Amino acid sequence: MDTFLREREAYSLKDRFLAFLVLFLPLFLGCPAARAEQATSLNPIRIALLVPAGSQAQGLGQATRVFLEGRLNQPLKEKGFALQAMEVPMPVTPAEAKRRVTDLKQQGFDGAISLLSGPENAILARLGNPPFPILLTWSEEVPIPPGNDSFLFGIDFEESFRPIAWTLWARKQSPSGWDFYTESLDVRLNRLARETEAEFANLGLSVRSYRFRRNRPEQYGNLFSLSSSGGKRSALIWLEKDQAAAIGEALAFRAGAGSFICLGKDLPVLVSSSRFRYLTQDPNGGDRFTKARLAAVWLAEAVLAGDSPPRDARKLARALEKVQRIEGSGEEIWLCPERHRPFRKAVFFLRPRSGTLEITERMLLEKKGEEFVSPIGR
């Protein structure tokens, strides 16, 4: 009898311990069942993170997803809903990309953040109005239709900000004169070069223009002999990035004290001379995650503003339009509801230094009507 009582008591203690584990261990360890129950109690808002096919943007997509589902979700969960993000590789061809976006809508996605490059986003925009709002992280080259019927939104100024930005910067440097280099067949870059030349002329800056013909490298020597004036003049190069980098490197050997080699549009591979200057809308010296984080903040602010999650595409678009200002990483962006773009933000001038790019100047610009101006005066 004593043995039986001792065994019964032992089993009773085991049962109590197992009951304790079943009841309380999930609270300490957060077992999958508990997490699943918590997830199903929240109203999910599904967001696709559009990334290039391949692995080159995998880290950016993962970091953006963690930021969305982690830090940005905390205030949303208090309202009973949460962002759920998934990286979606985008096909290269326009037809396949259009099918992919259509499939995402059918799979129940409510919106997307595109982490594609500017040219890739421009192709995406030409496919027509998407079935749900898409926030374009790189959107300078993208024509975004204004108005309530458009589901495209961009975190960048359109590229027409560049002429006034380069002009305001050049006026501060006071070089003896400027040489512009363009390519005869590139309509878009030629337009930016002409607009910049007109802005330079309005401020009394001396400009000489030189135009290359495509696939005619033998003409470079003649142009270099005519330009640069012994290295006293600065250069502003309006060419595609590989050609711009090659010509810029050649001009850097002739550059004299106080002169600059400026690349009007693209950021090429890093070049050696500290005389190079680039102009970008990416803060933190071109850090890609900073731009992605700002786009994610815009989305989260739109969702947080409502009492219920904007699951309908038009409701989410209206919620994005109502966000007036976003901030993050030390930057502040003011947004225009009609244009689906910023109307006031900073742009950055960079130079190569020790194998990286460093910011030499931060310039605040504002769009008034169809013109860009400096809020602190020209």
Side-chain angles (χ1 to χ4, degrees):
M1 178 67 68
D2 291 342
T3 303
F4 173 80
L5 289 175
R6 283 195 300 269
E7 290 179 352
R8 181 175 179 180
E9 183 178 0
Y11 280 116
S12 179
L13 290 173
K14 290 179 183 178
D15 291 341
R16 291 173 191 170
F17 180 69
L18 290 174
F20 173 85
L21 291 179
V22 171
L23 290 174
F24 295 105
L25 191 59
L27 300 178
F28 292 103
L29 299 182
C31 72
R35 290 198 301 268
E37 183 177 354
Q38 181 186 25
T40 55
S41 66
L42 297 173
N43 196 342
I45 301 171
R46 301 188 66 196
I47 302 300
L49 302 177
L50 309 183
V51 299
S55 60
Q56 63 266 36
Q58 185 175 5
L60 179 62
Q62 291 175 347
T64 306
R65 174 173 52 81
V66 170
F67 183 67
L68 266 173
E69 295 184 343
R71 179 179 172 184
L72 293 184
N73 253 343
Q74 295 308 314
L76 296 177
K77 289 179 179 179
E78 297 177 4
K79 290 192 169 187
F81 47 92
L83 297 169
Q84 291 183 357
M86 185 178 77
E87 297 129 275
V88 178
M90 290 298 289
V92 176
T93 66
E96 291 177 343
K98 187 170 185 176
R99 281 196 298 270
R100 179 67 50 85
V101 173
T102 301
D103 290 343
L104 290 174
K105 177 63 175 178
Q106 294 174 351
Q107 293 166 14
F109 282 87
D110 302 298
I113 295 177
S114 175
L115 303 176
L116 304 173
S117 68
E120 289 171 323
N121 278 331
I123 294 174
L124 184 65
R126 287 197 291 270
L127 300 178
N129 203 33
F132 47 58
I134 299 181
L135 256 170
L136 307 175
T137 307
W138 284 271
S139 55
E140 182 175 319
E141 298 92 343
V142 182
I144 296 179
N148 293 342
D149 293 331
S150 174
F151 285 169
L152 290 176
F153 295 78
I155 202 75
D156 285 332
F157 284 141
E158 53 265 65
E159 64 185 0
S160 56
F161 85 94
R162 290 184 172 272
I164 186 60
W166 277 119
T167 303
L168 295 175
W169 181 86
R171 184 180 64 173
K172 297 179 182 179
Q173 313 310 318
S174 301
S176 59
W178 287 85
D179 292 335
F180 282 21
Y181 295 88
T182 61
E183 203 262 56
S184 58
L185 299 181
D186 197 315
V187 176
R188 184 172 59 88
L189 290 179
N190 282 337
R191 174 180 53 79
L192 290 172
R194 290 194 303 270
E195 292 173 359
T196 309
E197 185 173 355
E199 293 283 359
F200 272 44
N202 289 338
L203 293 183
L205 298 176
S206 171
V207 174
R208 298 186 309 196
S209 295
Y210 300 93
R211 179 169 295 185
F212 293 105
R213 292 190 178 184
R214 189 168 296 181
N215 301 323
R216 292 281 301 278
E218 68 274 7
Q219 66 193 309
Y220 294 174
N222 293 333
L223 285 177
F224 291 157
S225 66
L226 293 172
S227 65
S228 301
S229 299
K232 296 180 181 180
R233 298 175 68 86
S234 291
L236 183 52
I237 304 172
W238 295 99
L239 301 167
E240 62 87 21
K241 63 180 181 180
D242 292 332
Q243 189 180 18
I247 292 175
E249 287 277 23
L251 288 172
F253 286 106
R254 305 170 60 91
S259 61
F260 299 96
I261 311 297
C262 304
L263 279 73
K265 180 65 176 72
D266 287 309
L267 295 181
V269 293
L270 286 179
V271 288
S272 57
S273 176
S274 62
R275 299 189 188 282
F276 276 86
R277 293 294 183 273
Y278 315 135
L279 172 58
T280 181
Q281 299 193 60
D282 297 359
N284 293 348
D287 176 34
R288 292 172 62 81
F289 179 54
T290 300
K291 285 280 289 294
R293 189 163 49 204
L294 286 168
V297 169
W298 188 354
L299 176 65
E301 291 285 347
V303 174
L304 186 61
D307 295 327
S308 60
R311 300 297 300 273
D312 177 79
R314 198 166 296 278
K315 288 182 179 179
L316 180 56
R318 299 296 81 76
L320 288 166
E321 290 173 350
K322 291 178 181 178
V323 179
Q324 297 181 344
R325 183 179 65 88
I326 55 176
E327 58 182 334
S329 303
E331 293 302 322
E332 185 178 52
I333 299 178
W334 292 85
L335 302 164
C336 175
E338 292 82 15
R339 294 180 181 272
H340 292 190
R341 287 185 182 274
F343 73 88
R344 182 172 180 169
K345 67 186 294 287
V347 298
F348 307 89
F349 294 85
L350 311 175
R351 71 176 176 186
R353 185 180 179 89
S354 302
T356 62
L357 293 172
E358 71 170 4
I359 295 175
T360 62
E361 183 173 342
R362 177 183 182 274
M363 179 183 292
L364 188 64
L365 289 180
E366 182 174 320
K367 185 164 189 179
K368 292 187 174 181
E370 296 300 320
E371 296 184 351
F372 287 93
V373 299
S374 170
I376 58 176
R378 294 179 61 162

